[in-house]
Amino acid sequence: MSIASQPDRVIIFDTTLRDGEQSPGATLNVQEKLAIAHQLSLLGVDVIEAGFAVASPGDFQAVQSIAEQVGILGGPIICSLARAVRQDIQVAAEALKPAARPRIHTMISTSDIHLQYQLKKSRREVLAIAQEMVAYAKSFVDDVEFSPMDASRTDREFLYQVLEGAIRAGATTINIPDTVGYCTPKEMGNLIQGIQQHVPNIHQVILSIHTQNDLGLATANALAAIENGVRQVECTINGIGERAGNAALEEIVMALQVRQPYFNPYFGRAVDSDAPLTNIKTPEIYKTSSLVSQLTGILIQPNKAIVGANAFAHESGIHQDGIIKHRQTYEIMEAAAIGLPENRIVLGKHSGRNAFRTRLKELGFELNETDLNKAFNRFKEVADKKKEISDWDLEAIVRDETQIQVESGFQLEHVQVICGDCTCPTATITIVTPDGRILTDATVGTGPVDAVYQAINRLVQIPNQLIEFSVQSVTGGIDALGTVTIRLGHQEHTFSGQASDTDIVVAAAYAHINALNRLYRYLQTHQLDSVLVSG
Ligand code: KIV
């Protein structure tokens, strides 16, 4: 059944790989984008905006690979963004060719402030370009989405005219962006109602919403739009995106699920209808959220709705008392609904490979033999230091050991640190270079992590600055695994790295190597090799 014939549910358009990747420092390589796209497909999103194909050769390759490998028959629609410019549209169409269901998403600004200062074009010109470029996109694909950028600050009469023209030219989805996150929910409702009333052909298309989170209203605005007839929502995992980000997929989906009786009537359904309002498989939410956080290096704030570490934690005595007596006193959804591991202690150092594999399967990780072996060896190492291995630990181990490795990157062989209050923190590091040389160096630093970073940098010789460093404990307890997440800056680019270990200095060293390998790979693919290690 085509999406167009299912307007009584919400179409989830995920833009983690396009708007989400526009988050400062969230640069992803093609393999990482593919891994996220595969997981988004498992999650059940309807549309994946895989990138902005014309932006760079890497973006083109990512859109093309996702179209080929994820956009298969029965899979999601694969979409590329394109400005209302011929070359953008041509390149998007080319990248999308392998997809079973390709979509071109073309956009042009319509607010006076954008026209005057950015586009330097008149309303009449923009009106003509919008129609011409939608028709041009339509000459490549049937499925064309049109966005009037900064719609919420656009003169209403002009907005209606542009939309009517875009639909006449062949758009099948009309997306209304609140580009600068300026709307309030009530205004959003009025905007959508106005469009429904004044654009005569609006009922021929799917109406969509794109809300930014500058005032923290992205989810509220998206839900207000749904209440007023919008049937596609553009959102990202963990709400990442330009500036303060986008509406978070997990928040929209869980609001529609938990408050289904409230939303049902807006879809013309009986209050108690239990046919889902989205196609999302909610038990995949937690895994998708962790993967996106790990690969983008953007940590999730602990109090983030749905996926934050505290979202299901009850601290106060009164709340704990209530939960023990009857869960629903203080819990409106179960952690299991989003696939959150229960933190049951299941494995220890005597656990065998079979138990390990079985538990991972229960947690939703299906590893190939190589990754399973790597993860099992690491599990044994950790179990030697830490008596009880929780689901959270297992997840960190799998994340570390199945990280998308940069072919021929640097490998960390040894980390040794001396530190204390009356000694100069000193690190000795051994690495293997991409061409197989084994190098050792030792440095002093202001602390053990600084010493480790300086020693690694001297060996690797790729200029970088440490922009951000954070340590999170995977579980409670003195023997907990610590996850270190870092961001490195190189010129105007940022690269993240993450690693876990019971020793946080060791975790920091691996996180640094992981980030450097991303930087190294970037330099290789962009042929900026003048700064790479020599001799
Ligand atoms: O914020 C915005 O206006 C966008 C559009 C391209 C939908 O990202």
Side-chain angles (χ1 to χ4, degrees):
M1 197 190 291
S2 80
I3 277 175
S5 62
Q6 302 183 352
D8 72 330
R9 70 167 177 88
V10 175
I11 296 160
I12 298 292
F13 176 114
D14 181 277
T15 183
T16 305
L17 296 174
R18 199 277 298 166
D19 204 319
E21 209 220 2
Q22 286 171 220
S23 312
T27 326
L28 296 163
N29 64 37
V30 175
Q31 281 171 297
E32 291 163 340
K33 286 186 184 174
L34 258 171
I36 291 176
H38 278 297
Q39 181 57 34
L40 289 173
S41 176
L42 284 178
L43 178 67
V45 306
D46 299 291
V47 187
I48 295 178
E49 188 162 49
F52 185 12
V54 81
S56 70
D59 271 65
F60 181 89
Q61 206 193 333
V63 175
Q64 192 177 45
S65 310
I66 292 169
E68 197 172 85
Q69 296 180 39
V70 186
I72 50 174
L73 220 59
I77 292 172
I78 308 298
C79 172
S80 171
L81 184 66
R83 287 167 303 181
V85 170
R86 271 178 193 273
Q87 201 209 349
D88 281 34
I89 293 172
Q90 256 172 32
V91 172
E94 183 60 33
L96 289 169
K97 257 188 192 156
R101 293 191 298 157
R103 172 180 296 186
I104 294 177
H105 175 192
T106 188
M107 53 96 173
I108 188 164
S109 288
T110 49
S111 65
D112 286 338
I113 190 166
H114 281 212
L115 265 57
Q116 186 179 347
Y117 295 105
Q118 195 181 12
L119 289 187
K120 301 199 190 311
K121 291 197 189 306
S122 67
R123 286 188 184 177
R124 192 201 291 233
E125 285 172 300
V126 166
L127 186 63
I129 294 171
Q131 295 179 29
E132 200 187 323
M133 289 304 116
V134 167
Y136 186 56
K138 196 78 179 177
S139 70
F140 294 102
V141 294
D142 288 337
D143 188 352
V144 175
E145 174 169 327
F146 173 72
S147 288
M149 189 138 99
D150 206 16
S152 53
R153 294 193 301 168
T154 297
D155 172 81
R156 288 296 154 85
E157 290 307 320
F158 180 56
L159 180 64
Y160 302 152
Q161 263 185 315
V162 174
L163 298 185
E164 187 182 351
I167 298 169
R168 242 188 296 110
T172 40
T173 296
I174 289 291
N175 177 51
I176 306 299
D178 182 25
T179 301
V180 290
Y182 186 71
C183 255
T184 66
K186 198 164 176 190
E187 285 171 333
M188 177 58 79
N190 289 338
L191 173 62
I192 300 300
Q193 275 176 25
I195 291 170
Q196 310 256 31
Q197 285 160 12
H198 295 102
V199 180
N201 48 4
I202 197 73
H203 304 291
Q204 297 170 15
V205 297
I206 299 277
L207 192 50
S208 167
I209 193 72
H210 178 107
T211 52
Q212 297 283 153
N213 204 30
D214 298 66
L215 295 174
L217 294 171
T219 298
N221 282 335
L223 293 174
I226 289 172
E227 288 178 16
N228 285 280
V230 153
R231 289 296 172 262
Q232 174 179 281
V233 172
E234 300 201 353
C235 45
T236 60
I237 300 297
N238 303 334
I240 62 171
E242 191 81 43
R243 306 182 309 278
N246 288 68
L249 179 148
E250 61 278 7
E251 292 174 16
I252 310 268
V253 168
M254 292 314 289
L256 290 171
Q257 178 169 307
V258 172
R259 300 301 312 277
Q260 183 161 3
Y262 170 81
F263 285 104
N264 273 336
Y266 292 108
F267 291 77
R269 301 170 175 208
V271 170
D272 59 354
S273 161
D274 61 3
L277 288 173
T278 71
N279 270 355
I280 295 298
K281 296 173 188 66
T282 65
E284 291 291 329
I285 285 179
Y286 176 74
K287 197 138 68 85
T288 316
S289 161
S290 303
L291 180 70
V292 168
S293 173
Q294 182 210 340
L295 293 183
T296 57
I298 299 177
L299 297 177
I300 302 166
Q301 73 197 60
N303 59 326
K304 164 84 181 64
I306 318 292
V307 291
N310 296 347
F312 293 91
H314 301 276
E315 182 72 20
S316 95
I318 295 175
H319 286 213
Q320 287 176 351
D321 177 60
I323 286 285
I324 290 163
K325 288 178 176 148
H326 185 73
R327 284 209 84 78
Q328 283 160 358
T329 49
Y330 289 95
E331 220 170 68
I332 59 167
M333 60 194 143
E334 286 179 18
I338 63 153
L340 197 71
E342 276 178 40
N343 202 19
R344 270 187 287 145
I345 309 290
V346 281
L347 300 178
K349 78 185 213 181
H350 300 296
S351 305
R353 208 181 138 79
N354 227 346
F356 179 72
R357 185 206 301 264
T358 308
R359 187 62 194 142
L360 287 189
K361 231 173 159 175
E362 283 164 7
L363 293 174
F365 295 106
E366 302 262 3
L367 304 192
N368 62 35
E369 275 309 294
T370 318
D371 283 345
L372 184 75
N373 284 341
K374 281 199 291 182
F376 184 64
N377 291 340
R378 181 74 193 289
F379 158 72
K380 283 289 183 187
E381 272 171 42
V382 176
D384 259 345
K385 296 182 196 154
K386 193 176 185 301
K387 252 194 5 241
E388 296 169 328
I389 306 289
S390 71
D391 290 346
W392 303 97
D393 296 320
L394 284 179
E395 203 195 306
I397 290 169
V398 171
R399 251 194 347 243
D400 260 18
E401 295 306 313
T402 59
Q403 264 189 67
I404 296 152
Q405 298 297 336
V406 175
E407 315 88 66
S408 66
F410 295 91
Q411 282 167 43
L412 186 63
E413 279 289 290
H414 273 308
V415 188
Q416 188 189 311
V417 172
I418 302 166
C419 63
D421 63 352
C422 32
T423 181
C424 207
T426 310
T428 309
I429 298 286
T430 302
I431 63 162
V432 183
T433 64
D435 54 4
R437 284 168 301 131
I438 299 173
L439 305 177
T440 299
D441 202 347
T443 350
V444 293
T446 52
V449 173
D450 182 47
V452 163
Y453 278 39
Q454 291 202 42
I456 292 177
N457 280 343
R458 266 199 352 210
L459 291 169
V460 168
Q461 289 183 36
I462 302 178
N464 70 83
Q465 305 84 44
L466 184 62
I467 298 175
E468 214 176 291
F469 175 92
S470 72
V471 188
Q472 281 181 318
S473 149
V474 172
T475 53
I478 195 72
D479 61 353
L481 280 178
T483 298
V484 172
T485 307
I486 65 154
R487 278 165 192 276
L488 297 181
H490 175 86
Q491 293 165 358
E492 75 277 23
H493 299 286
T494 315
F495 301 85
S496 65
Q498 200 176 68
S500 307
D501 200 280
T502 46
D503 182 327
I504 56 165
V505 179
V506 174
Y510 277 101
H512 190 41
I513 286 283
N514 289 340
L516 280 170
N517 275 337
R518 283 183 166 179
L519 167 54
Y520 172 72
R521 164 79 179 248
Y522 172 85
L523 294 174
Q524 270 190 322
T525 50
H526 289 75
Q527 291 168 341
L528 301 173
D529 50 3
S530 56
V531 288
L532 294 184
V533 65
S534 61

